[in-house]
Amino acid sequence: MTEPETARLGARIRAYRNMRRMTVRGLAVEAKASPSFISQLERGHSSASIGMLRRIATALGLTVADLFNEDDALGPRVVRRSARPELPTAPGTRKYLISQRPLQNLEVYAGELDPGTSTGDEPYSHGESQEILLVLRGRITIWLGPAGSASPQVLGPGDSVEYRTSVPHRVANEGDEPAEVIWMISPPTPA
C-alpha cells in the first residue's frame, strides 16, 4: 500500500472506532493487538497484515472490505423491503436488517412476531449501546432485567421503550394477531 492509502485506512479505522465509542485499548484487546500498534496504524505510521485487519474489522462489526470501501458516504442508500437481509431468529419470528453495512452510527431492524412467539425463552443482552423498541402493529410484551426478576411491560401500536443493550431483554407476542416492531440501536453493537 502507498503512504496515502495507509493514512486513509488508518483514518477509517479511527473513525469507525470512534463511532463505536471504543478506546484504542478496547480495540486492541478485541483485535488481540497492542494499543501502540493500533495507535500507529490509525495515524498511518504502520501497516497491518490481512489477519490483523480481519481481527480489527471483526472487533468493529465490519468486514475487511468495509475498511477499504470509501464509497459508503456518497449519499442515500435505499433498501427495498424484498431485499432486506433476514437474520436467523426463533421460530415464528423474523428479523430484518434495515440499516446497511458498514453500520455507522445507527443499527435498525424490522421485526415480525407471530402470535405466541418470542425472541427466545431467555432474556439476552448485547454490547453497551442505547436501544429503542417501537411497536408498529399488534401488541408485544417486553421483559427488561434478568430472568425471574423482570416485570413485563405490554406495548401497543405507537408505544416504545428505551433501554441499554447490556440489560437482559426478551420480547414476546402474547396476542392473537401478528406484531411488527422496529429496533434502533446506537451505536451499533459488535457482530
Side-chain angles (χ1 to χ4, degrees):
M1 274 187 355
T2 66
E3 223 174 277
E5 290 170 333
T6 301
R8 283 196 305 274
L9 173 63
R12 289 180 62 73
I13 290 170
R14 182 177 46 252
Y16 281 119
R17 179 182 57 76
N18 288 333
M19 280 189 265
R20 304 303 191 264
R21 296 185 186 156
M22 292 178 87
T23 63
V24 168
R25 183 172 301 284
L27 177 57
V29 168
E30 292 292 320
K32 297 177 179 62
S34 72
S36 63
F37 172 76
I38 296 295
S39 178
Q40 289 176 2
L41 182 65
E42 288 185 351
R43 289 181 287 134
H45 297 301
S46 182
S47 59
S49 69
I50 292 296
M52 176 56 70
L53 289 176
R54 251 191 210 109
R55 292 195 306 268
I56 290 170
T58 299
L60 294 171
L62 304 168
T63 66
V64 172
D66 293 333
L67 294 177
F68 291 94
N69 182 5
E70 296 184 26
D71 296 332
D72 59 9
L74 294 179
R77 300 185 295 173
V78 175
V79 179
R80 303 286 178 209
R81 183 180 182 101
S82 61
R84 291 179 184 165
E86 185 172 356
L87 284 77
T89 57
T93 66
R94 288 157 303 285
K95 192 170 187 177
Y96 304 95
L97 181 64
I98 293 177
S99 48
Q100 292 185 355
R101 297 204 180 273
L103 301 174
Q104 295 186 14
N105 299 308
L106 183 66
E107 188 174 14
V108 181
Y109 296 94
E112 300 171 350
L113 291 88
D114 292 337
T117 64
S118 72
T119 55
D121 293 334
E122 295 295 320
Y124 66 98
S125 61
H126 49 99
E128 182 57 51
S129 297
Q130 201 69 19
E131 184 164 7
I132 297 173
L133 172 66
L134 171 67
V135 179
L136 301 175
R137 181 171 63 107
R139 296 190 103 52
I140 60 104
T141 304
I142 183 167
W143 289 265
L144 295 168
S149 66
S151 58
Q153 298 288 324
V154 178
L155 305 175
D159 293 343
S160 65
V161 61
E162 186 175 344
Y163 48 93
R164 299 297 295 175
T165 58
S166 57
V167 172
H169 49 283
R170 177 178 178 267
V171 177
N173 180 354
E174 297 178 327
D176 297 330
E177 63 180 81
E180 282 186 67
V181 300
I182 297 282
W183 283 278
M184 295 162 274
I185 305 160
S186 181
T189 56

